[in-house]
Amino acid sequence: MRSAKDFFRPLAVGAPTPLTEIPARPSRAIHFFDPSNEKMAAKVPQMVGTVDVLLGNLEDAIKADNKVAAREGLVTIAQGTDGLGGPQAKTQLWTRINALDSPWALDDLTTLVPAIGDRLDVIMVPKVQGAEDIQYVDRLLAQLEAKAGLDRPILVHAILETARGMVNIEEICGASPRMQGLSLGPADLAADRRMKTTRVGGGHPGYLVRQDPPVNDLGISEVDANRTTYQQDLWHYTIARMVDACAMHGIYPYYGPFGDIADVVACEDQFRNAFLLGCVGTWSLHPKQIAIANRVFSPSVEDIRHARRVVAAMGDGTGAVMLDGKMEDDASLKQCLVLVELAEQLAAIDPELKKQYDALDGEEA
Ligand code: GLV
Ligand code: MG
């Protein structure tokens, strides 16, 4: 057992002091790119400033033969792209390393930290099974940071994509002060759970509830009658579980990949469900998903208008007020403050959004 006092001490002599709080940096879209793909890599500089996070993917979707090229490509891109990554950057730089049991994970870390550790904001670790995986990465990162002379800790993000990881979710979130957040890994998680889906994220038409059958004059249920069905969300339980575990530990939950790039409508629905439940962002696998994520994970102008009215009506006091026939009290005020604070953080990096929120300034409360 570690003493609570040790928790915020560096795990290696000379390593940066762990953070006591994870900064709330906007990360509505985490846009994945393949650093071994020259065409994709060439687009990175012009994407800086247009997306909250650019993530150099080294894991699944990168062919085994391209693993080294992807790792080296990421180093070149990070070193050569202005404004990408680091504490002041508008666009953060993340990476997804290979799984800890793969032949590549160690070289990923020992190459990236010395070369671009000052630019890397967050390292995403796939297929995390328990606290032991985070603790392994935690110590190794401390050693590498000390050796590289880094002055701030690189944060760690776990992808939940195994049943064991799900069961150990709280201990994963609390395993290190580096823990920044969790993402849903619906494809691997579905396989590991032996779910019967073949998609990457999203719903399934077979997962539904059906209206009760009508009963005829003889009191017999007409099971063959037309009955409305309602498709259910396969991921509701998992995301709700992630949101609670993250909130408990002061870190951030994210939706993961939505593989049907053409179905922008269902993509938006999944993202919005995750946003409403408490997630702060999602992955983007195609530039068109960036726009969807930026829209969905930013509070709407209508919501901010209402939230600001409640804040103004409640003043500094507590109690209850009536607004448009609805009771607002301390608890609704707290919900409104969540939205208002998020809007302020996003307005600080998104001038277009700032303009929309600022236009509310002149309105009557
Ligand atoms: C993502 O990595 C997934 O497995 O869905
Ligand atoms: Mg996966």
Side-chain angles (χ1 to χ4, degrees):
M1 177 189 163
R2 260 164 100 195
S3 161
K5 292 198 196 66
D6 292 334
F7 207 62
F8 291 101
R9 293 204 179 110
L11 286 175
V13 175
T17 306
L19 303 180
T20 51
E21 266 188 52
I22 299 302
R25 297 181 74 183
S27 41
R28 295 164 292 184
I30 304 165
H31 184 69
F32 275 53
F33 68 91
D34 171 357
S36 72
N37 177 326
E38 280 175 22
K39 234 173 93 195
M40 257 192 219
K43 291 196 183 130
V44 166
Q46 72 224 41
M47 295 188 84
V48 171
T50 67
V51 57
D52 296 347
V53 179
L54 281 164
L55 179 145
N57 181 27
L58 307 183
E59 201 224 8
D60 290 356
I62 308 298
K63 286 194 199 126
D65 288 350
N66 287 349
K67 293 288 185 187
V68 174
R71 188 190 297 140
E72 285 170 359
L74 180 58
V75 169
T76 310
I77 290 164
Q79 289 175 340
T81 310
D82 286 341
L84 176 61
Q88 308 309 331
K90 248 167 86 174
T91 295
Q92 299 179 54
L93 177 64
W94 294 22
T95 185
R96 176 169 77 166
I97 60 166
N98 286 287
L100 298 179
D101 61 357
S102 74
W104 306 292
L106 184 63
D107 289 343
D108 290 344
L109 290 171
T110 57
T111 302
L112 297 180
V113 177
I116 57 167
D118 56 334
R119 291 294 194 98
L120 266 184
D121 296 293
V122 176
I123 293 179
M124 203 180 250
V125 183
K127 303 177 177 70
V128 171
Q129 302 271 14
E132 69 281 4
D133 289 341
I134 301 300
Q135 285 155 357
Y136 167 79
V137 172
D138 197 8
R139 176 79 72 173
L140 186 53
L141 282 179
Q143 293 171 337
L144 293 169
E145 286 166 346
K147 205 167 159 205
L150 298 184
D151 58 8
R152 80 189 158 95
I154 299 170
L155 301 180
V156 169
H157 180 113
I159 314 179
L160 280 180
E161 40 191 359
T162 66
R164 181 145 88 82
M166 277 308 297
V167 170
N168 291 331
I169 190 167
E170 279 91 11
E171 67 164 48
I172 290 170
C173 292
S176 158
R178 288 183 198 274
M179 279 302 296
Q180 180 274 345
L182 295 180
S183 282
L184 168 71
D188 272 303
L189 183 56
D192 195 62
R193 281 176 169 164
R194 305 180 66 77
M195 288 166 68
K196 306 302 179 296
T197 53
T198 54
R199 305 167 171 205
V200 176
H204 193 289
Y207 192 70
L208 50 81
V209 291
R210 188 180 302 268
Q211 195 181 26
D212 276 4
V215 178
N216 67 20
D217 295 346
L218 303 172
I220 296 169
S221 294
E222 294 187 334
V223 294
D224 292 327
N226 262 344
R227 292 146 71 183
T228 309
T229 58
Y230 305 88
Q231 195 172 320
Q232 304 290 294
D233 187 354
L234 282 169
W235 303 109
H236 178 80
Y237 155 77
T238 309
I239 291 181
R241 190 94 177 67
M242 285 170 50
V243 167
D244 282 345
C246 286
M248 168 181 166
H249 286 282
I251 68 174
Y252 301 102
Y254 297 78
Y255 191 80
F258 187 89
D260 190 345
I261 308 295
D263 193 351
V264 290
V265 178
C267 174
E268 178 154 349
D269 291 338
Q270 283 277 297
F271 289 180
R272 182 165 296 103
N273 287 352
F275 174 67
L276 287 170
L277 276 179
C279 290
V280 297
T282 185
W283 299 8
S284 145
L285 306 181
H286 186 278
K288 60 183 165 189
Q289 293 186 341
I290 298 175
I292 302 173
N294 284 354
R295 182 167 65 248
V296 170
F297 287 93
S298 307
S300 68
V301 171
E302 292 71 40
D303 280 347
I304 294 306
R305 177 184 287 118
H306 174 73
R308 287 198 194 171
R309 283 184 70 212
V310 173
V311 173
M314 288 288 288
D316 296 332
T318 58
V321 293
M322 291 300 288
L323 213 56
D324 305 333
K326 296 193 186 103
M327 192 273 297
E328 306 288 351
D329 66 358
D330 301 86
S332 51
L333 173 67
K334 282 183 203 155
Q335 293 176 73
C336 290
L337 288 172
V338 168
L339 288 170
V340 169
E341 279 164 21
L342 176 59
E344 280 166 10
Q345 287 155 12
L346 295 175
I349 62 143
D350 186 331
E352 185 44 44
L353 209 52
K354 181 170 162 37
K355 235 190 277 165
Q356 292 175 28
Y357 295 146
D358 282 354
L360 296 172
D361 284 349
E363 293 185 6
E364 292 271 314

